[in-house]
């Protein structure tokens, strides 16, 4: 477990830097275009390529890792087979979507009064961004290839490179040629990331990558796994896709798409850093443990992993809820992003913040289903929650005048029910319990400090508000950090004490 945590920690640090650049890109777009139609165009055009990368590319990558680790798999052949399948799938999907660009955009904007110029701008951005889908899906596959070779850091560094170049190219050229620069930067940064991953894999001197149209049981299993993995494993990304689509489709206002995008990016930031690091490392390990029939280790990872997730995400959720307005102000409220934009974005952030732990837990738990070879249960539960409960809740709240908040309420309600269903079924079917690897005292210990932290953050957010937004933000961060650490230490949360002892041994030399 200690080795696992060290690896996760290293990958997390890289992911933090990578996500900061990706998040900063969103902040810069807010600075340049606020919640205007131009910002809507950029986010709408990037929506589908990003979705294909994270959901379809992620599904192929997860299936590849699972099949690659099986004893009967011809690994050298399967690398070529899977590369061919991913490449052709990316090409075909991209071509089909490009052909139907106009009908797709008409569907998204059917309840929005876009001018011809605004529609054409979105269309041109879309034409630039969509070809990057092929490279992004292949990059996801290469990341999986590196991960099965325990080169977890390279896949994380690749995301960092992508976000850095996406930001730099977009910002520099947008000052020259306008918002179309973000379309160009999306394609260029995907090329650069792909080059880095290919170069990194070639240095391993492992099996060669190439084309193979040979059909075996491995290719059959790959196709069988991909669809359910895309639905069940891409829950967070599917939520993001539906949020942006229904923000426009339900006619929630001219700025609804941009508002929902800013809010979802803000709340996805902490959960993406953690859960990407954990799933990057844990799934290859889980696949090997399952192949070795080491069920005890799997149960320990399940219980302790969810425990760590609560310890980390719980405080972040509490802070994000009470300081939603402060976060939006210091990150987005500059130039064309006005106080009015903050007023409509902050409530969406606060509601989405409450879903952060549940979305992260859902992604974490589904990896255990996949390690067990069960890709159907997460699919069925995701369809029920994401496509029925979520959409139903969005319609209900939209009809009752909640505006953009309706999108956030749909996400919160369905993410809670999805997580609870996954936990219940895992307990019934695979005997995976929340307390596996923990005693009852350790399991219940976080409750009191988290309740106490909630009270502290409520009081500070209500009564320690200053005229200068950065003072309010800094005071809130200081109180949050100090309170979290002291409460965890006061209530003897073992993990915090372990970190304290290690830091003390490194920086305080005993005589």
């Amino acid at each position: 477990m200690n080795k696992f945590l060290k690896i996760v920690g290293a990958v997390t640090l890289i992911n933090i830097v990578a996500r900061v650049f990706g998040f900063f890109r969103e902040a810069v777009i807010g600075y340049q275009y606020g919640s205007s139609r131009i910002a809507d165009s950029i986010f709408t055009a990037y929506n589908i390529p990003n979705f294909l990368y994270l959901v379809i590319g992620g599904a192929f990558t997860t299936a590849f890792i699972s099949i690659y680790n099986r004893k009967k798999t011809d690994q050298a052949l399967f690398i070529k087979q899977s590369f061919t399948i991913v490449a052709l799938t990316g090409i075909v999907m991209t071509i089909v979507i490009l052909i139907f660009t106009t009908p797709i955009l008409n569907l998204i904007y059917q309840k929005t009064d876009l001018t011809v110029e605004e529609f054409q701008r979105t269309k041109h951005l879309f034409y630039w961004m969509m070809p990057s889908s092929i490279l992004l899906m292949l990059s996801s596959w290469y990341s999986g290839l590196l991960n099965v070779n325990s080169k977890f850091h390279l896949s994380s560094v690749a995301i960092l490179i992508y976000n850095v170049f996406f930001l730099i190219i977009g910002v520099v050229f947008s000052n020259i040629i306008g918002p179309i620069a973000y379309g160009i930067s999306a394609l260029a940064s995907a090329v650069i990331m792909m080059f880095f991953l290919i170069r990194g894999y070639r240095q391993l001197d492992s099996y060669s990558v190439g084309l193979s149209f040979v059909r075996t049981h491995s290719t059959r299993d790959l196709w069988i796994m991909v669809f359910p993995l895309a639905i069940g494993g891409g829950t967070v990304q599917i939520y993001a896709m539906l949020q942006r689509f229904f923000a426009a489709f339900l006619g929630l206002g001219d700025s609804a798409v941009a508002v929902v995008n800013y809010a979802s990016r803000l709340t996805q930031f902490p959960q993406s850093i953690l859960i990407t690091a954990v799933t990057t490392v844990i799934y290859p390990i889980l696949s090997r443990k399952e192949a070795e029939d080491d069920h005890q280790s799997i149960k320990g990872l399940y219980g302790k992993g969810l425990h760590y997730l609560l310890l980390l995400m719980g405080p972040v959720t509490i802070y994000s809820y009470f300081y939603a307005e402060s976060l939006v102000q210091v990150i987005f409220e500059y130039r064309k992003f006005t106080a009015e934009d903050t007023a409509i974005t902050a409530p969406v952030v606060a509601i989405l913040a409450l879903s952060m732990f549940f979305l992260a837990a859902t992604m974490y738990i589904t990896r255990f289903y996949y390690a067990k070879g069960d890709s159907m249960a997460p699919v069925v539960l995701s369809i029920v929650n994401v496509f029925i409960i979520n959409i139903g809740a969005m319609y209900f709240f939209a009809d009752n005048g909640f505006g953009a908040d309706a999108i956030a309420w749909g996400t919160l309600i369905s993410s809670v029910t999805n997580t609870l269903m996954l936990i219940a079924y895992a307990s019934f079917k695979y005997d995976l319990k929340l307390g596996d690897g923990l005693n009852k005292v350790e399991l219940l210990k976080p409750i009191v400090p988290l309740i106490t932290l909630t009270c502290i953050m409520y009081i500070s957010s209500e009564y320690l508000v200053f005229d200068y937004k950065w003072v309010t933000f800094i005071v809130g961060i200081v109180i949050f950090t100090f309170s979290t650490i002291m409460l965890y230490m006061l209530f003897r949360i073992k993990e915090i004490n372990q970190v304290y002892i290690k830091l003390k041994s490194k920086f305080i030399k005993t005589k």
Side-chain angles (χ1 to χ4, degrees):
M1 181 61 72
N2 286 335
K3 183 179 179 181
F4 167 72
L5 290 176
K6 287 180 180 178
I7 297 171
V8 170
V11 174
T12 299
L13 288 175
I14 300 172
N15 271 321
I16 288 174
V17 180
R19 301 293 172 177
V20 164
F21 276 99
F23 187 71
F24 188 56
R25 180 181 68 243
E26 308 294 325
V28 169
I29 293 173
Y31 175 80
Q32 292 176 313
Y33 305 113
S35 57
S36 65
R37 288 280 179 84
I38 296 177
D40 278 0
S41 295
I42 296 170
F43 297 138
T44 300
Y46 186 57
N47 206 3
I48 293 179
N50 191 51
F51 179 81
L52 293 178
Y53 166 48
L54 295 173
V55 177
I56 307 301
F60 273 116
T61 302
T62 303
F64 166 78
I65 292 171
S66 179
I67 297 169
Y68 183 89
N69 282 318
R70 294 176 183 174
K71 295 177 182 178
K72 61 181 180 179
T73 300
D74 181 343
Q75 294 179 340
L77 176 61
F78 183 58
I79 286 175
K80 293 182 178 180
Q81 291 171 319
S82 56
F83 173 80
T84 304
I85 290 171
V86 174
L88 290 178
T89 301
I91 292 169
V92 170
M93 292 184 74
T94 299
I95 291 173
V96 170
I97 292 173
L98 283 172
I99 291 173
F100 292 98
T101 295
T102 300
I104 290 171
L105 294 180
N106 281 329
L107 176 64
I108 294 173
Y109 286 120
Q110 63 177 295
K111 292 190 177 182
T112 305
D113 297 325
L114 249 66
T115 65
V116 174
E117 181 184 357
E118 289 168 341
F119 187 86
Q120 288 300 317
R121 178 178 57 234
T122 306
K123 193 173 180 180
H124 291 153
L125 278 163
F126 197 78
Y127 284 151
W128 272 106
M129 290 186 177
M130 265 311 299
S132 69
S133 300
I134 303 168
L135 298 172
L136 291 173
M137 289 172 65
L138 285 173
S139 294
S140 179
W141 178 85
Y142 261 104
S143 294
L145 192 56
L146 289 166
N147 290 341
V148 296
N149 285 280
S150 299
K151 298 297 181 181
F152 304 108
H153 65 286
L154 288 179
S155 56
S156 298
V157 171
I159 297 173
L160 170 60
I161 291 172
Y162 174 74
N163 284 334
V164 168
F165 280 96
F166 199 156
L167 170 66
I168 293 173
I169 296 172
V171 171
V172 171
F173 285 94
S174 63
N175 292 321
I176 302 171
I177 59 176
I180 199 69
Y182 285 99
I184 298 171
S185 67
L187 181 58
S189 55
V191 172
I192 295 168
M193 178 170 68
M194 185 70 175
F195 173 78
F196 173 81
L197 288 167
I198 292 173
R199 187 171 177 273
Y201 179 70
R202 285 181 176 176
Q203 290 179 347
L204 299 180
D205 194 26
S206 185
Y207 301 120
S208 62
V209 176
L211 297 175
S212 175
F213 296 92
V214 176
R215 298 170 63 184
T216 63
H217 62 85
S218 295
T219 56
R220 180 202 63 199
D221 292 346
L222 183 70
W223 281 114
I224 290 172
M225 290 183 69
V226 164
F227 176 73
L229 284 173
I231 302 296
T235 304
V236 175
Q237 290 75 34
I238 293 172
Y239 272 120
M241 183 80 166
L242 291 175
Q243 286 167 356
R244 293 168 179 81
F245 176 80
F246 278 94
F249 182 77
L250 293 174
L252 301 178
D254 290 343
S255 61
V257 174
V259 166
V260 170
N261 185 83
Y262 292 131
S264 62
R265 290 292 186 185
L266 191 55
T267 53
Q268 285 174 17
F269 180 67
Q271 72 189 39
S272 296
I273 289 171
L274 177 64
I275 206 61
T276 301
V278 173
T279 54
T280 295
V281 178
I282 198 173
Y283 190 64
I285 294 174
L286 276 176
S287 298
R288 288 196 293 268
K289 294 294 183 183
E290 190 63 36
E292 297 166 1
D293 294 323
D294 189 355
H295 302 298
Q296 196 61 36
S297 294
I298 291 174
K299 292 178 73 172
L301 283 170
Y302 179 80
K304 290 183 178 179
L306 286 173
H307 179 67
Y308 296 148
L309 202 60
L310 177 61
L311 291 176
L312 291 168
M313 294 299 296
V316 174
T317 296
I318 293 167
Y319 173 81
S320 300
Y321 178 80
F322 289 111
Y323 277 84
E325 183 177 1
S326 180
L327 283 168
V328 175
Q329 285 176 336
V330 300
I331 293 172
F332 293 119
E333 195 179 295
Y334 303 98
R335 200 180 172 191
K336 292 189 177 182
F337 196 103
T338 65
E340 288 74 19
D341 294 324
T342 295
I344 58 177
T345 304
V348 181
V349 171
I351 300 167
L352 287 178
L354 298 176
S355 69
M356 289 195 298
F357 169 76
F358 299 100
L359 291 173
T362 293
M363 188 178 292
Y364 185 81
I365 295 168
T366 54
R367 267 48 189 182
F368 288 83
Y369 280 84
Y370 302 151
K372 295 288 184 182
D374 183 359
S375 56
M376 286 308 300
V379 168
V380 173
L381 295 179
S382 288
I383 289 173
V384 170
N385 288 282
V386 180
F387 293 99
I388 298 177
I389 294 177
N390 177 38
I391 293 175
M394 285 193 291
Y395 269 102
F396 172 80
F397 284 102
D399 288 342
N400 284 276
F402 279 73
D405 292 3
I407 306 298
W409 279 112
T411 300
L412 173 59
I413 293 169
S414 56
S415 65
V416 173
T417 56
N418 198 13
T419 301
L420 294 177
M421 288 181 184
L422 284 167
I423 290 172
Y425 189 75
S427 176
F428 167 76
K429 181 73 173 178
Y430 302 113
D431 195 33
L432 293 172
K433 311 290 186 182
L434 291 178
D436 286 340
L438 302 165
N439 58 47
K440 289 184 179 179
V441 175
E442 288 178 313
L443 188 63
L444 298 175
K445 265 187 178 181
I447 295 176
V448 176
L450 289 177
I451 292 174
T452 306
L453 181 65
T454 300
C455 297
I456 293 171
M457 297 317 297
Y458 167 74
I459 293 170
S460 66
S461 65
E462 286 291 316
Y463 300 104
L464 295 177
V465 179
F466 303 92
D467 293 334
Y468 188 51
K469 61 186 178 183
W470 274 98
V471 175
T472 302
F473 175 74
I474 293 170
V475 168
I477 285 289
V478 171
I479 293 173
F480 164 71
T481 305
F482 179 78
S483 299
T484 302
I485 294 173
M486 293 307 296
L487 285 168
Y488 276 1
M489 292 183 69
L490 179 65
F491 287 90
R492 298 183 181 277
I493 302 298
K494 183 176 66 176
E495 291 75 16
I496 296 298
N497 287 327
Q498 288 174 345
V499 172
Y500 171 73
I501 292 170
K502 286 184 179 180
L503 290 174
K504 185 178 178 180
S505 64
K506 285 185 178 182
F507 295 104
I508 304 176
K509 296 182 179 180
T510 57
K511 294 183 179 179

